Amino acid sequence: MLYFLLYEQLQRYISPFRVFRYTTFRTAFASLTALFLCIALGPWLINKLRQFQIGQYIREEGPKSHQKKAGTPTMGGVLIIISIIIPTLLWADLRFHYVWIAIGALLGYGYIGFLDDYAKVTNRRNLGLSGRRKLVYQFAMGFAFAAALLFMRAHGEYSSTMNVPFLKQFKPSLLIQSLMGNQWTYILGVAPFCIFVSLVVVFCSNAVNLTDGLDGLAIGLMVIAAGALTMLTYAGGHAQLADYLQLARNPRTSELTVFCGSMTGASLGFLWYNAHPAEIFMGDVGSLGLGGAMAVVAVLIKQEVLLLFIAGVFILEAVSVILQVGSYKLRHGKRIFKMAPLHHHFEALGWTESKIIARFWIAGLVLALIALTTLKLR
């Protein structure tokens, strides 16, 4: 909106407004807008959540030290989503489909999280949607996103090939071209791609959700991940940088930089209130929404492999739960960790909450730097 007004309409009369043509400038403004919007609206939302008695319910099998957090306002992810969408609408060029797809993923997965949080509040216990029902909703969203990508590919707006670190000539595609030429086998030809995309998005959204167990842990890691994605989206949409780094240049991804900048600013703003001791929790509406948006952006800019590093800590948390559940079922009650997800294991070892959070943030930062370093090592 402001991009259209300030640059496309007014810059012919006010020449300094030409600066709004630059993605970096608008990304900086979007980040600051998201940051201050989140900080400004935080106290109002916290008071409203307390007024409506929308508080956190702590699972009984969790650490006993967490019982004191019961009643802390939750569903703060609504604040994060608002603080991402408004700056994006204000500062991005909304003629690019990529921006709307990212917003759609944020809202779609955020809505699934909202349904889960709402069920917990109405049931007055830490049990929302059933796991199966939640996965059905998530995979439905994932397949819808994959279908949108196939539609864009048919119109030359998206490439299904992936970038692989260290192997610049190896660009695999999960589409089976030999089967896509026939209408009767088309579904089989696109099935591997759709399944892969859906798994990436669903896994990442749940990984962020599982990590959201300590004050500021998930949102602090999201600041790092969103910051790394901001750099990747800018590099992929910049002609000279993409050529220098040997990336598949796609000018349509440049406006995703504004979205990722907004996500970084909103995450920082929410951390203001979510830092230990937390005044508000993001809930599933925030964790599922942020995780889904992060994965969708990575798929759009063809950096699914680098997502292993950018979301490395989130992935480790999710894998720890999978291993724990698998071990418990296959080894007749034997556990690998004292408690899962992984951050609870370290709590059981006696680490303080603040120490776990700080060290996980450091690990997330190191992994994000490794991801950015691989851009030139191709």
Side-chain angles (χ1 to χ4, degrees):
M1 296 177 185
L2 288 180
Y3 168 78
F4 178 78
L5 175 65
L6 298 177
Y7 175 64
E8 298 200 352
Q9 298 299 316
L10 297 181
Q11 65 90 16
R12 70 190 73 173
Y13 309 110
I14 307 174
S15 58
F17 281 0
R18 285 198 300 268
V19 73
F20 289 104
R21 68 178 289 191
Y22 298 110
T23 305
T24 49
F25 191 83
R26 289 184 285 114
T27 299
F29 266 74
S31 299
L32 291 173
T33 303
L35 172 64
F36 292 122
L37 185 63
C38 197
I39 291 177
L41 294 178
W44 174 83
L45 180 63
I46 292 171
N47 289 332
K48 284 296 180 181
L49 291 173
R50 285 175 177 162
Q51 179 181 338
F52 291 109
Q53 297 182 344
I54 301 177
Q56 179 71 31
Y57 291 90
I58 307 299
R59 62 189 183 111
E60 297 178 359
E61 64 271 21
K64 299 301 180 184
S65 59
H66 286 211
Q67 296 302 319
K68 62 184 178 182
K69 300 182 181 183
T72 302
T74 188
M75 296 179 69
V78 173
L79 176 62
I80 301 173
I81 292 174
I82 291 173
S83 299
I84 293 173
I85 291 178
I86 291 178
T88 301
L89 295 178
L90 288 176
W91 297 108
D93 185 349
L94 301 177
R95 291 171 296 188
F96 288 86
H97 297 156
Y98 281 44
V99 176
W100 290 108
I101 290 177
I103 291 175
L106 178 67
L107 286 174
Y109 281 94
Y111 180 67
I112 296 172
F114 175 83
L115 293 178
D116 193 37
D117 286 335
Y118 184 76
K120 292 176 183 177
V121 172
T122 54
N123 293 333
R124 295 187 176 278
R125 55 187 302 192
N126 191 45
L127 289 175
L129 299 176
S130 66
R132 180 175 299 179
R133 187 177 178 185
K134 189 190 295 187
L135 283 175
V136 168
Y137 290 160
Q138 289 177 304
F139 272 105
M141 277 291 302
F143 280 114
F145 169 58
L149 294 183
L150 290 173
F151 179 81
M152 291 169 60
R153 178 184 177 275
H155 290 79
E157 296 184 2
Y158 178 76
S159 172
S160 61
T161 58
M162 292 189 295
N163 293 315
V164 181
F166 311 114
L167 301 172
K168 62 182 179 181
Q169 302 299 331
F170 181 59
K171 295 184 178 296
S173 173
L174 294 175
L175 294 175
I176 306 175
Q177 300 291 341
S178 59
L179 297 177
M180 293 177 62
N182 189 305
Q183 61 177 340
W184 301 106
T185 59
Y186 180 82
I187 297 296
L188 295 176
V190 301
F193 172 79
C194 293
I195 293 171
F196 173 75
V197 168
S198 300
L199 284 173
V200 169
V201 180
V202 172
F203 184 85
C204 280
S205 63
N206 284 312
V208 176
N209 181 234
L210 290 170
T211 306
D212 185 32
L214 299 179
D215 297 350
L217 175 58
I219 200 64
L221 290 168
M222 186 53 63
V223 171
I224 297 169
L229 286 174
T230 303
M231 298 180 192
L232 289 173
T233 51
Y234 178 71
H238 192 282
Q240 287 76 27
L241 271 177
D243 181 64
Y244 174 70
L245 296 172
Q246 299 180 1
L247 297 174
R249 196 235 171 180
N250 187 348
R252 301 177 185 87
T253 66
S254 61
E255 292 303 312
L256 281 176
T257 312
V258 178
F259 176 82
C260 292
S262 299
M263 191 155 58
T264 305
S267 298
L268 272 174
F270 190 76
L271 183 59
W272 185 273
Y273 300 106
N274 189 234
H276 183 70
E279 300 174 58
I280 186 173
F281 297 139
M282 72 168 78
D284 286 11
V285 61
S287 58
L288 292 182
L290 287 172
M294 174 180 65
V296 164
V297 169
V299 173
L300 286 171
I301 64 175
K302 309 312 305 165
Q303 297 295 351
E304 300 94 333
V305 178
L306 284 188
L307 194 60
L308 292 171
F309 297 98
I310 295 171
V313 176
F314 294 126
I315 292 172
L316 286 174
E317 292 270 38
V319 169
S320 71
V321 173
I322 295 171
L323 292 175
Q324 185 83 327
V325 173
S327 175
Y328 186 83
K329 290 183 176 181
L330 298 176
R331 300 171 63 203
H332 309 291
K334 293 183 179 179
R335 293 176 171 86
I336 299 175
F337 307 100
K338 290 181 176 295
M339 194 176 295
L342 191 59
H343 56 263
H344 287 329
H345 170 75
F346 289 108
E347 276 191 293
L349 290 177
W351 290 23
T352 63
E353 185 168 346
S354 297
K355 180 176 288 187
I356 296 170
I357 294 167
R359 289 180 174 177
F360 274 47
W361 284 355
I362 293 170
L365 180 60
V366 170
L367 289 171
L369 290 174
I370 291 174
L372 296 176
T373 302
T374 65
L375 290 178
K376 189 53 184 171
L377 302 176
R378 290 177 180 270

